[in-house]
Amino acid sequence: MAFILAIDDDADRYDGLRRYLNGRPDVIVHVVACVACVAELLPRADVVLLDYDLDSGALCPGCQDVIRERWKGIHYVGDIADAGKPVVVTSCSSAENVRRLVTDLHRRGVRTAQHAAFETDCELRWLGR
């Protein structure tokens, strides 16, 4: 069983990924953005797909609660590093924000790849990582 944890406030961003997986029962994709959901699911994750901006005003896709804290994906880097999870940065934020996120992940020793959600066939790149 593979567990993909997407820390993102836009659950629709991963519809293409779910289509590629075509309902495979051996792969779970879970999208969350709030502190409680990340804390609950991060230990089970095999890989994290990470967005930078979590402040769209949308509710957490996992629990449908208001996202009150940690409105930027970079604030989860310490938790991810402590958990020893590899990361694919999916963010479409500004180049400066993405660079800062990737640099912080690398500085903390996190195995990291970067494939923004707007890249062609990004879902295949995410799965390839």
mmCIF file of all heavy atoms in Angstrom, residues 60-97:
data_model
loop_
_atom_site.group_PDB
_atom_site.id
_atom_site.type_symbol
_atom_site.label_atom_id
_atom_site.label_comp_id
_atom_site.label_asym_id
_atom_site.label_seq_id
_atom_site.Cartn_x
_atom_site.Cartn_y
_atom_site.Cartn_z
ATOM 1 N N CYS A 60 -9.876 23.180 4.715
ATOM 2 C CA CYS A 60 -8.967 22.040 4.599
ATOM 3 C C CYS A 60 -9.700 20.929 3.848
ATOM 4 O O CYS A 60 -10.791 20.531 4.244
ATOM 5 C CB CYS A 60 -8.545 21.552 5.984
ATOM 6 S SG CYS A 60 -7.588 20.017 5.945
ATOM 7 N N PRO A 61 -9.127 20.432 2.758
ATOM 8 C CA PRO A 61 -9.789 19.367 2.004
ATOM 9 C C PRO A 61 -9.985 18.078 2.811
ATOM 10 O O PRO A 61 -10.865 17.284 2.507
ATOM 11 C CB PRO A 61 -8.845 19.106 0.829
ATOM 12 C CG PRO A 61 -8.043 20.344 0.690
ATOM 13 C CD PRO A 61 -7.901 20.887 2.094
ATOM 14 N N GLY A 62 -9.191 17.890 3.865
ATOM 15 C CA GLY A 62 -9.299 16.666 4.655
ATOM 16 C C GLY A 62 -10.454 16.672 5.627
ATOM 17 O O GLY A 62 -11.239 15.745 5.691
ATOM 18 N N CYS A 63 -10.584 17.758 6.393
ATOM 19 C CA CYS A 63 -11.585 17.797 7.462
ATOM 20 C C CYS A 63 -12.666 18.852 7.243
ATOM 21 O O CYS A 63 -13.600 18.953 8.030
ATOM 22 C CB CYS A 63 -10.907 18.020 8.801
ATOM 23 S SG CYS A 63 -10.119 19.651 8.955
ATOM 24 N N GLN A 64 -12.494 19.663 6.204
ATOM 25 C CA GLN A 64 -13.427 20.750 5.883
ATOM 26 C C GLN A 64 -13.482 21.826 6.967
ATOM 27 O O GLN A 64 -14.471 22.542 7.090
ATOM 28 C CB GLN A 64 -14.833 20.199 5.601
ATOM 29 C CG GLN A 64 -14.892 19.271 4.405
ATOM 30 C CD GLN A 64 -14.387 19.955 3.148
ATOM 31 O OE1 GLN A 64 -14.879 21.004 2.756
ATOM 32 N NE2 GLN A 64 -13.402 19.368 2.507
ATOM 33 N N ASP A 65 -12.415 21.940 7.756
ATOM 34 C CA ASP A 65 -12.337 22.977 8.776
ATOM 35 C C ASP A 65 -11.553 24.169 8.212
ATOM 36 O O ASP A 65 -10.820 24.041 7.238
ATOM 37 C CB ASP A 65 -11.636 22.434 10.027
ATOM 38 C CG ASP A 65 -11.907 23.280 11.268
ATOM 39 O OD1 ASP A 65 -12.657 24.282 11.179
ATOM 40 O OD2 ASP A 65 -11.366 22.942 12.327
ATOM 41 N N VAL A 66 -11.691 25.309 8.843
ATOM 42 C CA VAL A 66 -10.964 26.507 8.450
ATOM 43 C C VAL A 66 -9.478 26.290 8.738
ATOM 44 O O VAL A 66 -9.110 25.759 9.782
ATOM 45 C CB VAL A 66 -11.475 27.733 9.242
ATOM 46 C CG1 VAL A 66 -10.641 28.961 8.953
ATOM 47 C CG2 VAL A 66 -12.938 27.989 8.930
ATOM 48 N N ILE A 67 -8.641 26.671 7.792
ATOM 49 C CA ILE A 67 -7.191 26.568 7.978
ATOM 50 C C ILE A 67 -6.768 27.789 8.793
ATOM 51 O O ILE A 67 -6.739 28.903 8.290
ATOM 52 C CB ILE A 67 -6.458 26.510 6.630
ATOM 53 C CG1 ILE A 67 -6.959 25.322 5.815
ATOM 54 C CG2 ILE A 67 -4.956 26.445 6.842
ATOM 55 C CD1 ILE A 67 -6.534 25.336 4.367
ATOM 56 N N ARG A 68 -6.442 27.574 10.066
ATOM 57 C CA ARG A 68 -6.168 28.678 10.979
ATOM 58 C C ARG A 68 -4.686 28.964 11.144
ATOM 59 O O ARG A 68 -4.299 30.053 11.512
ATOM 60 C CB ARG A 68 -6.763 28.373 12.335
ATOM 61 C CG ARG A 68 -8.265 28.362 12.340
ATOM 62 C CD ARG A 68 -8.809 28.083 13.737
ATOM 63 N NE ARG A 68 -10.239 28.235 13.779
ATOM 64 C CZ ARG A 68 -11.084 27.294 13.395
ATOM 65 N NH1 ARG A 68 -10.655 26.151 12.947
ATOM 66 N NH2 ARG A 68 -12.387 27.507 13.455
ATOM 67 N N GLU A 69 -3.849 27.972 10.958
ATOM 68 C CA GLU A 69 -2.415 28.126 11.214
ATOM 69 C C GLU A 69 -1.629 27.580 10.030
ATOM 70 O O GLU A 69 -2.134 26.799 9.242
ATOM 71 C CB GLU A 69 -2.017 27.347 12.463
ATOM 72 C CG GLU A 69 -2.753 27.755 13.716
ATOM 73 C CD GLU A 69 -2.444 26.833 14.885
ATOM 74 O OE1 GLU A 69 -1.469 26.061 14.814
ATOM 75 O OE2 GLU A 69 -3.192 26.866 15.857
ATOM 76 N N ARG A 70 -0.375 27.964 9.982
ATOM 77 C CA ARG A 70 0.570 27.440 8.987
ATOM 78 C C ARG A 70 0.019 27.596 7.560
ATOM 79 O O ARG A 70 -0.178 26.612 6.855
ATOM 80 C CB ARG A 70 0.916 25.986 9.294
ATOM 81 C CG ARG A 70 1.624 25.832 10.622
ATOM 82 C CD ARG A 70 2.228 24.476 10.747
ATOM 83 N NE ARG A 70 2.888 24.327 12.037
ATOM 84 C CZ ARG A 70 3.622 23.317 12.371
ATOM 85 N NH1 ARG A 70 3.812 22.331 11.535
ATOM 86 N NH2 ARG A 70 4.186 23.241 13.533
ATOM 87 N N TRP A 71 -0.194 28.802 7.151
ATOM 88 C CA TRP A 71 -0.782 29.087 5.858
ATOM 89 C C TRP A 71 0.202 28.975 4.700
ATOM 90 O O TRP A 71 -0.147 29.240 3.570
ATOM 91 C CB TRP A 71 -1.426 30.459 5.850
ATOM 92 C CG TRP A 71 -2.631 30.527 6.737
ATOM 93 C CD1 TRP A 71 -3.352 29.465 7.221
ATOM 94 C CD2 TRP A 71 -3.256 31.688 7.236
ATOM 95 N NE1 TRP A 71 -4.383 29.916 7.999
ATOM 96 C CE2 TRP A 71 -4.345 31.291 8.028
ATOM 97 C CE3 TRP A 71 -2.994 33.045 7.101
ATOM 98 C CZ2 TRP A 71 -5.180 32.182 8.660
ATOM 99 C CZ3 TRP A 71 -3.830 33.943 7.733
ATOM 100 C CH2 TRP A 71 -4.908 33.507 8.502
ATOM 101 N N LYS A 72 1.413 28.577 4.992
ATOM 102 C CA LYS A 72 2.421 28.355 3.959
ATOM 103 C C LYS A 72 3.010 26.964 4.147
ATOM 104 O O LYS A 72 3.287 26.537 5.270
ATOM 105 C CB LYS A 72 3.545 29.402 4.030
ATOM 106 C CG LYS A 72 3.077 30.837 3.869
ATOM 107 C CD LYS A 72 2.512 31.087 2.494
ATOM 108 C CE LYS A 72 2.057 32.538 2.351
ATOM 109 N NZ LYS A 72 1.293 32.775 1.144
ATOM 110 N N GLY A 73 3.219 26.260 3.054
ATOM 111 C CA GLY A 73 3.773 24.914 3.123
ATOM 112 C C GLY A 73 5.145 24.865 3.765
ATOM 113 O O GLY A 73 5.517 23.855 4.365
ATOM 114 N N ILE A 74 5.888 25.957 3.663
ATOM 115 C CA ILE A 74 7.235 25.989 4.232
ATOM 116 C C ILE A 74 7.205 25.763 5.751
ATOM 117 O O ILE A 74 8.165 25.266 6.324
ATOM 118 C CB ILE A 74 7.959 27.302 3.858
ATOM 119 C CG1 ILE A 74 9.476 27.137 4.030
ATOM 120 C CG2 ILE A 74 7.409 28.477 4.625
ATOM 121 C CD1 ILE A 74 10.277 28.227 3.358
ATOM 122 N N HIS A 75 6.100 26.081 6.386
ATOM 123 C CA HIS A 75 5.989 25.901 7.830
ATOM 124 C C HIS A 75 5.893 24.427 8.234
ATOM 125 O O HIS A 75 6.018 24.110 9.416
ATOM 126 C CB HIS A 75 4.801 26.686 8.377
ATOM 127 C CG HIS A 75 4.926 28.156 8.163
ATOM 128 N ND1 HIS A 75 5.892 28.924 8.781
ATOM 129 C CD2 HIS A 75 4.239 28.996 7.368
ATOM 130 C CE1 HIS A 75 5.773 30.180 8.387
ATOM 131 N NE2 HIS A 75 4.782 30.249 7.532
ATOM 132 N N TYR A 76 5.688 23.537 7.274
ATOM 133 C CA TYR A 76 5.633 22.102 7.560
ATOM 134 C C TYR A 76 6.970 21.397 7.314
ATOM 135 O O TYR A 76 7.095 20.208 7.552
ATOM 136 C CB TYR A 76 4.546 21.430 6.715
ATOM 137 C CG TYR A 76 3.157 21.786 7.162
ATOM 138 C CD1 TYR A 76 2.358 22.636 6.406
ATOM 139 C CD2 TYR A 76 2.647 21.280 8.357
ATOM 140 C CE1 TYR A 76 1.082 22.962 6.831
ATOM 141 C CE2 TYR A 76 1.379 21.612 8.784
ATOM 142 C CZ TYR A 76 0.596 22.449 8.010
ATOM 143 O OH TYR A 76 -0.671 22.784 8.430
ATOM 144 N N VAL A 77 7.968 22.127 6.843
ATOM 145 C CA VAL A 77 9.251 21.511 6.493
ATOM 146 C C VAL A 77 9.886 20.799 7.688
ATOM 147 O O VAL A 77 10.385 19.681 7.558
ATOM 148 C CB VAL A 77 10.217 22.560 5.881
ATOM 149 C CG1 VAL A 77 11.623 22.015 5.762
ATOM 150 C CG2 VAL A 77 9.697 23.008 4.516
ATOM 151 N N GLY A 78 9.862 21.401 8.847
ATOM 152 C CA GLY A 78 10.438 20.771 10.037
ATOM 153 C C GLY A 78 9.750 19.460 10.379
ATOM 154 O O GLY A 78 10.412 18.454 10.673
ATOM 155 N N ASP A 79 8.424 19.454 10.323
ATOM 156 C CA ASP A 79 7.664 18.231 10.606
ATOM 157 C C ASP A 79 7.999 17.140 9.591
ATOM 158 O O ASP A 79 8.162 15.969 9.945
ATOM 159 C CB ASP A 79 6.158 18.507 10.559
ATOM 160 C CG ASP A 79 5.714 19.539 11.578
ATOM 161 O OD1 ASP A 79 6.310 19.600 12.670
ATOM 162 O OD2 ASP A 79 4.766 20.289 11.265
ATOM 163 N N ILE A 80 8.092 17.532 8.327
ATOM 164 C CA ILE A 80 8.397 16.575 7.262
ATOM 165 C C ILE A 80 9.808 16.016 7.438
ATOM 166 O O ILE A 80 10.020 14.804 7.318
ATOM 167 C CB ILE A 80 8.226 17.244 5.880
ATOM 168 C CG1 ILE A 80 6.750 17.586 5.635
ATOM 169 C CG2 ILE A 80 8.771 16.358 4.774
ATOM 170 C CD1 ILE A 80 6.515 18.546 4.485
ATOM 171 N N ALA A 81 10.752 16.892 7.742
ATOM 172 C CA ALA A 81 12.133 16.448 7.953
ATOM 173 C C ALA A 81 12.219 15.513 9.149
ATOM 174 O O ALA A 81 12.877 14.459 9.078
ATOM 175 C CB ALA A 81 13.054 17.655 8.153
ATOM 176 N N ASP A 82 11.554 15.863 10.243
ATOM 177 C CA ASP A 82 11.563 15.017 11.437
ATOM 178 C C ASP A 82 10.963 13.645 11.149
ATOM 179 O O ASP A 82 11.400 12.642 11.711
ATOM 180 C CB ASP A 82 10.791 15.678 12.587
ATOM 181 C CG ASP A 82 11.506 16.889 13.157
ATOM 182 O OD1 ASP A 82 12.707 17.088 12.859
ATOM 183 O OD2 ASP A 82 10.842 17.656 13.889
ATOM 184 N N ALA A 83 9.963 13.608 10.263
ATOM 185 C CA ALA A 83 9.310 12.342 9.916
ATOM 186 C C ALA A 83 10.109 11.552 8.883
ATOM 187 O O ALA A 83 9.810 10.385 8.633
ATOM 188 C CB ALA A 83 7.898 12.617 9.395
ATOM 189 N N GLY A 84 11.110 12.197 8.250
ATOM 190 C CA GLY A 84 11.949 11.512 7.265
ATOM 191 C C GLY A 84 11.241 11.185 5.972
ATOM 192 O O GLY A 84 11.536 10.171 5.333
ATOM 193 N N LYS A 85 10.326 12.044 5.553
ATOM 194 C CA LYS A 85 9.538 11.789 4.344
ATOM 195 C C LYS A 85 10.133 12.510 3.136
ATOM 196 O O LYS A 85 10.506 13.680 3.237
ATOM 197 C CB LYS A 85 8.091 12.259 4.534
ATOM 198 C CG LYS A 85 7.401 11.674 5.753
ATOM 199 C CD LYS A 85 7.334 10.166 5.707
ATOM 200 C CE LYS A 85 6.649 9.638 6.964
ATOM 201 N NZ LYS A 85 6.516 8.204 6.962
ATOM 202 N N PRO A 86 10.206 11.852 1.974
ATOM 203 C CA PRO A 86 10.615 12.554 0.750
ATOM 204 C C PRO A 86 9.489 13.470 0.272
ATOM 205 O O PRO A 86 8.316 13.222 0.562
ATOM 206 C CB PRO A 86 10.866 11.416 -0.241
ATOM 207 C CG PRO A 86 10.020 10.291 0.248
ATOM 208 C CD PRO A 86 9.938 10.437 1.743
ATOM 209 N N VAL A 87 9.868 14.501 -0.466
ATOM 210 C CA VAL A 87 8.908 15.522 -0.887
ATOM 211 C C VAL A 87 9.026 15.791 -2.383
ATOM 212 O O VAL A 87 10.130 15.873 -2.923
ATOM 213 C CB VAL A 87 9.153 16.848 -0.124
ATOM 214 C CG1 VAL A 87 8.304 17.977 -0.677
ATOM 215 C CG2 VAL A 87 8.882 16.661 1.356
ATOM 216 N N VAL A 88 7.871 15.966 -3.018
ATOM 217 C CA VAL A 88 7.800 16.533 -4.352
ATOM 218 C C VAL A 88 7.095 17.876 -4.193
ATOM 219 O O VAL A 88 5.945 17.924 -3.740
ATOM 220 C CB VAL A 88 7.031 15.639 -5.347
ATOM 221 C CG1 VAL A 88 6.924 16.324 -6.707
ATOM 222 C CG2 VAL A 88 7.691 14.281 -5.478
ATOM 223 N N VAL A 89 7.799 18.956 -4.529
ATOM 224 C CA VAL A 89 7.221 20.290 -4.437
ATOM 225 C C VAL A 89 6.355 20.505 -5.672
ATOM 226 O O VAL A 89 6.848 20.495 -6.796
ATOM 227 C CB VAL A 89 8.323 21.370 -4.325
ATOM 228 C CG1 VAL A 89 7.709 22.767 -4.359
ATOM 229 C CG2 VAL A 89 9.134 21.162 -3.051
ATOM 230 N N THR A 90 5.057 20.670 -5.450
ATOM 231 C CA THR A 90 4.089 20.814 -6.540
ATOM 232 C C THR A 90 3.663 22.256 -6.738
ATOM 233 O O THR A 90 2.864 22.557 -7.616
ATOM 234 C CB THR A 90 2.837 19.962 -6.258
ATOM 235 O OG1 THR A 90 2.218 20.433 -5.054
ATOM 236 C CG2 THR A 90 3.194 18.492 -6.130
ATOM 237 N N SER A 91 4.185 23.147 -5.934
ATOM 238 C CA SER A 91 3.750 24.537 -5.867
ATOM 239 C C SER A 91 3.899 25.278 -7.192
ATOM 240 O O SER A 91 4.875 25.109 -7.914
ATOM 241 C CB SER A 91 4.551 25.265 -4.790
ATOM 242 O OG SER A 91 4.105 26.594 -4.678
ATOM 243 N N CYS A 92 2.920 26.140 -7.441
ATOM 244 C CA CYS A 92 2.945 27.045 -8.593
ATOM 245 C C CYS A 92 3.141 28.486 -8.117
ATOM 246 O O CYS A 92 2.833 29.433 -8.827
ATOM 247 C CB CYS A 92 1.646 26.941 -9.382
ATOM 248 S SG CYS A 92 1.375 25.340 -10.126
ATOM 249 N N SER A 93 3.641 28.656 -6.909
ATOM 250 C CA SER A 93 3.875 29.971 -6.338
ATOM 251 C C SER A 93 5.011 30.665 -7.103
ATOM 252 O O SER A 93 5.579 30.113 -8.041
ATOM 253 C CB SER A 93 4.230 29.830 -4.855
ATOM 254 O OG SER A 93 4.262 31.086 -4.220
ATOM 255 N N SER A 94 5.372 31.833 -6.653
ATOM 256 C CA SER A 94 6.449 32.566 -7.317
ATOM 257 C C SER A 94 7.751 31.773 -7.241
ATOM 258 O O SER A 94 7.950 30.954 -6.332
ATOM 259 C CB SER A 94 6.647 33.931 -6.649
ATOM 260 O OG SER A 94 7.236 33.767 -5.373
ATOM 261 N N ALA A 95 8.644 32.033 -8.184
ATOM 262 C CA ALA A 95 9.925 31.328 -8.221
ATOM 263 C C ALA A 95 10.695 31.524 -6.917
ATOM 264 O O ALA A 95 11.337 30.599 -6.412
ATOM 265 C CB ALA A 95 10.755 31.808 -9.414
ATOM 266 N N GLU A 96 10.614 32.717 -6.336
ATOM 267 C CA GLU A 96 11.315 32.997 -5.080
ATOM 268 C C GLU A 96 10.759 32.130 -3.944
ATOM 269 O O GLU A 96 11.518 31.576 -3.150
ATOM 270 C CB GLU A 96 11.175 34.472 -4.730
ATOM 271 C CG GLU A 96 11.854 34.844 -3.428
ATOM 272 C CD GLU A 96 11.660 36.317 -3.087
ATOM 273 O OE1 GLU A 96 11.638 37.149 -4.011
ATOM 274 O OE2 GLU A 96 11.531 36.607 -1.895
ATOM 275 N N ASN A 97 9.439 32.008 -3.858
ATOM 276 C CA ASN A 97 8.834 31.186 -2.804
ATOM 277 C C ASN A 97 9.212 29.715 -2.960
ATOM 278 O O ASN A 97 9.551 29.043 -1.984
ATOM 279 C CB ASN A 97 7.317 31.319 -2.820
ATOM 280 C CG ASN A 97 6.841 32.657 -2.311
ATOM 281 O OD1 ASN A 97 7.564 33.378 -1.636
ATOM 282 N ND2 ASN A 97 5.610 32.998 -2.654
#
